[in-house]
Amino acid sequence: MRRMNKLGIAVDVSHSGDRTSLDTVRHSGKPVLITHAGARSVWPTRRMKPDEVIRAVAERGGVIGLEAAPHTTLSPGHPRHSLESVMDHFTYCVDLVGIDHVAFGPDTLFGDHVGLHDVFAAQLSIDGAPHERVPYVDGLENPAECFWNIIGWLVTRGYSDTEIAKAIGGNVMRVLEEVWI
């Protein structure tokens, strides 16, 4: 970690286990990122991060980017994967660690992301709670073209321009500037 910090390497624990994530945060002298995951308290799969990890990342200045790849950031209130289920993770994480430590990292490919998950399901730890299989996340079918749906959702829920700017890139830029300096 010392060498990575010295070289200005941004460290991402999205696909790391809980213990590795906590050890990484503890040993890093710079903020750590979770670039694409969600809250295990919202959707109980190993692919999501437990509150302990999300808090540890935030306490050291890091950010969690909320994923929107099919069959990941579901929620009991929205079990068919949609913008609403992704935003359930967003509101949970904002309540848990504050707007300064939450962002979006959709992690959706241009192509068959579901096919990729089918091939690597065991390694990705997205199995677990039963859910309806979908070819894409409703409202975020193609995040490169539909990201504005996230912004629209934030606007209609009363988030300020400053809060929206933080969540849609400002928080990640803050971390990267600290890591790269």
Side-chain angles (χ1 to χ4, degrees):
M1 285 308 309
R2 284 190 296 270
R3 184 73 174 146
M4 291 173 76
N5 289 162
K6 184 176 182 177
L7 292 172
I9 297 172
V11 177
D12 177 12
V13 295
S14 295
H15 286 280
S16 298
D18 301 343
R19 177 83 282 142
T20 299
S21 296
L22 290 169
D23 288 347
T24 300
V25 170
R26 185 174 61 248
H27 292 290
S28 181
K30 301 281 185 170
V32 171
L33 297 161
I34 303 168
T35 62
H36 56 290
R40 193 176 297 163
S41 291
V42 177
W43 192 250
T45 67
R46 292 177 301 145
R47 178 66 183 89
M48 303 294 100
K49 296 297 182 183
D51 290 357
E52 180 183 18
V53 170
I54 297 168
R55 278 193 204 102
V57 165
E59 287 168 2
R60 298 291 299 274
V63 171
I64 178 170
L66 297 164
E67 184 166 9
H71 312 126
T72 57
T73 45
L74 295 150
S75 71
H78 300 97
R80 179 174 167 79
H81 210 173
S82 67
L83 173 63
E84 293 299 326
S85 56
V86 174
M87 299 313 280
D88 288 344
H89 285 262
F90 173 80
T91 55
Y92 180 85
C93 289
V94 168
D95 290 345
L96 183 67
V97 296
I99 193 75
D100 291 333
H101 303 286
V102 184
F104 296 94
D107 187 38
T108 298
L109 302 174
F110 295 96
D112 187 7
H113 208 113
V114 174
L116 178 71
H117 282 179
D118 288 344
V119 171
F120 294 109
Q123 291 82 9
L124 295 174
S125 300
I126 58 174
D127 54 342
H131 58 277
E132 181 179 349
R133 304 233 343 123
V134 296
Y136 53 83
V137 177
D138 285 337
L140 292 171
E141 296 83 354
N142 172 344
E145 297 171 0
C146 299
F147 199 86
W148 63 271
N149 289 338
I150 292 172
I151 297 166
W153 190 99
L154 294 167
V155 169
T156 62
R157 299 321 189 275
Y159 286 87
S160 70
D161 290 351
T162 300
E163 292 170 322
I164 293 169
K166 288 178 179 184
I168 66 167
N171 290 335
V172 172
M173 289 305 299
R174 172 187 49 79
V175 170
L176 292 176
E177 286 170 2
E178 186 173 339
V179 168
W180 290 341
I181 290 179

